[in-house]
Amino acid sequence: MGLLPCSCHLPCNKSRSECQTKSTHIQSESSTSSSLLSQPSLPLIPSLSSPPQSTSVHHKCLATLKCHSLYVSSLALSGKSFFTGSSNSEIRVWPQEPPEYSTGAGDDDRNIVAIGNGGVKSLVVLGDKLISAHQDHKIRVWKIIDESSRRDHQKYKCVATLPTMKDRFTNLFSRKSYVEVRRHKKCTWVHHVDAVSSLALSQDDSLLYSASWDRSFKIWRTSDFKCLESIEKAHDDAINAIVVSRDGFVYTGSADKKIKVWNKKDKKHSLVATLTKHLSAVNALAVSEDGKVLYSGACDRSILVWERISNGGEESHMTVVGALRGHTKAILCLAVASDLVFSGSADKTLRVWRRGLMEKECYSCLAVLEGHTKPVKCLAVSVSDSNSSHDSVNSCMVYSGSLDLSVKVWNLRVCSV
């Protein structure tokens, strides 16, 4: 079974100095409100959407899980389980295939496996470790306990908090280790100084990337969680999303309306291209499995499709080829599974798009999944059946987290007729 986690992130459109003077609770509310604003769509970019041809889609909601007391902010898949993080700092574990029509309602806290400080903004799974990014500027690493041996109410152990104590001590006494984070305020370069909004792993899992509302992103070595590099002032405003392609390109999306493309050269990451077609804050990014197509979602209600082009056989970057339209409010999260693209929106729906097999620049909206009563905040997709000869998904499970405090589990089957 292929597992394709994706998390979405709410931007903070205020300046970082404004955000840092407010409490975490107020900061979270203001950023949530800003990400839900619906901006004008992109009139000059052609639409790639077309009616589905010779395809039928069957989908149903298998379960609605309601245990979180505040909204569900992140999702990650692992083996036969999936994890949810909420804005009240709880991380819960659930079976990937819950009983049909389960409600999961009530105050049961037996599936709470971790509680950090500050809302959980992003989750990724690294082997037997769960890594969480938080509103309190920290990244935490938890040792996963096998569910078959975990006792009731037993929590995962936090085995590291990034930056690690060693990193902090090493840089504490060196003047060169300090960078300016705002006027008359300095901090060591290994620290994030605002909410960590997004996490991503390299293809070989050797590197962890973290993006923050402090406008920087950092690279950590996963063997010992040492901070290797920090790109300060990577954007002009909060960074809301970061994804890494299988060939090493790093994409960051920001409230400054820009997407930036980075690549590693001479042991350091440098800027390759800046993509500027969005008219509002970029909330979500997803990259195709082959790394050749990038999808971006923003408050302008459209999903932009970018494809890799070669510049003289040397540098590669993305150019926009069109937009996927249909959502009526801001795009908050994206996920990709083979030829399928999944999007969640402030309009309370999920949409499933399929890329054309012959005409690759043609996309069909296969289904609109309705049921959430508030904006869809995060997505994860688990592929259970695929047609390898056509590189096409036939069946998958979709997990969606919402501001309505629930997680829905959907089964989706795509059939050619």
Side-chain angles (χ1 to χ4, degrees), residues 197-198 200 209-212 215-219 231 233-245 249-262 269-276 278 282-286 294-296:
S197 55
S198 183
Y209 294 80
S210 62
S212 171
R215 311 179 190 186
S216 77
F217 73 93
K218 301 183 189 298
I219 299 95
I231 290 78
K233 299 179 181 178
H235 282 268
D236 298 325
D237 209 332
I239 303 177
N240 300 318
I242 187 167
V243 293
V244 184
S245 69
F249 283 92
V250 181
Y251 302 92
T252 53
S254 169
D256 66 8
K257 310 176 187 179
K258 299 174 184 176
I259 302 165
K260 291 192 176 182
V261 187
W262 312 81
H269 285 76
S270 59
L271 184 65
V272 174
T274 301
L275 314 180
T276 58
H278 278 294
V282 179
N283 295 328
L285 298 172
L294 174 72
Y295 302 91
S296 59

Side-chain angles (χ1 to χ4, degrees), residues 351-393:
R351 285 181 177 256
V352 184
W353 313 81
R354 189 174 197 176
R355 188 179 185 182
L357 298 178
M358 301 301 293
E359 298 181 30
K360 290 188 177 294
E361 292 186 3
C362 179
Y363 288 77
S364 301
C365 182
L366 299 183
V368 179
L369 309 185
E370 299 176 313
H372 282 295
T373 58
K374 288 188 178 180
V376 179
K377 173 67 178 64
C378 47
L379 282 172
V381 181
S382 172
V383 176
S384 53
D385 188 17
S386 63
N387 186 338
S388 58
S389 62
H390 295 92
D391 192 29
S392 176
V393 173

Side-chain angles (χ1 to χ4, degrees), residues 179-187:
V179 294
E180 187 175 34
V181 295
R182 64 173 185 256
R183 190 176 182 183
H184 307 309
K185 176 70 174 180
K186 290 188 175 183
C187 188

Side-chain angles (χ1 to χ4, degrees), residues 107-323:
D107 298 324
D108 190 349
D109 61 359
R110 286 175 296 179
N111 67 339
I112 296 177
V113 293
I115 300 177
N117 294 318
V120 184
K121 310 298 293 183
S122 182
L123 293 169
V124 295
V125 175
L126 174 67
D128 63 349
K129 295 180 178 64
L130 175 68
I131 306 175
S132 56
H134 294 262
Q135 185 90 26
D136 69 352
H137 320 169
K138 298 293 195 304
I139 301 166
R140 293 178 173 84
V141 184
W142 312 86
K143 175 72 173 178
I144 297 174
I145 302 173
D146 183 75
E147 286 306 299
S148 61
S149 61
R150 192 173 76 90
R151 300 184 300 274
D152 284 353
H153 302 277
Q154 184 181 9
K155 303 293 193 296
Y156 292 177
K157 181 181 179 181
C158 184
V159 296
T161 299
L162 311 187
T164 63
M165 185 66 72
K166 183 177 180 179
D167 255 352
R168 283 181 275 175
F169 184 78
T170 301
N171 292 279
L172 184 61
F173 302 106
S174 173
R175 182 174 297 180
K176 294 181 180 179
S177 296
Y178 286 79
V179 294
E180 187 175 34
V181 295
R182 64 173 185 256
R183 190 176 182 183
H184 307 309
K185 176 70 174 180
K186 290 188 175 183
C187 188
T188 58
W189 66 275
V190 296
H191 282 84
H192 280 301
V193 294
D194 209 334
V196 183
S197 55
S198 183
L199 298 173
L201 290 166
S202 61
Q203 179 69 17
D204 61 1
D205 288 342
S206 64
L207 299 175
L208 172 71
Y209 294 80
S210 62
S212 171
W213 289 350
D214 65 13
R215 311 179 190 186
S216 77
F217 73 93
K218 301 183 189 298
I219 299 95
W220 314 79
R221 187 169 58 203
T222 57
S223 59
D224 59 359
F225 295 106
K226 176 182 175 61
C227 189
L228 301 178
E229 188 180 354
S230 179
I231 290 78
E232 303 292 329
K233 299 179 181 178
H235 282 268
D236 298 325
D237 209 332
I239 303 177
N240 300 318
I242 187 167
V243 293
V244 184
S245 69
R246 64 185 303 170
D247 50 1
F249 283 92
V250 181
Y251 302 92
T252 53
S254 169
D256 66 8
K257 310 176 187 179
K258 299 174 184 176
I259 302 165
K260 291 192 176 182
V261 187
W262 312 81
N263 201 9
K264 191 173 184 178
K265 290 184 178 179
D266 300 324
K267 298 182 179 181
K268 297 290 183 180
H269 285 76
S270 59
L271 184 65
V272 174
T274 301
L275 314 180
T276 58
K277 295 297 184 181
H278 278 294
L279 300 178
S280 57
V282 179
N283 295 328
L285 298 172
V287 66
S288 64
E289 294 172 2
D290 60 8
K292 295 180 180 179
V293 185
L294 174 72
Y295 302 91
S296 59
C299 294
D300 49 35
R301 307 194 300 255
S302 296
I303 301 163
L304 291 190
V305 181
W306 311 79
E307 292 193 357
R308 180 78 58 80
I309 62 171
S310 179
N311 182 14
E314 297 180 0
E315 298 290 349
S316 296
H317 60 278
M318 295 287 185
T319 185
V320 68
V321 295

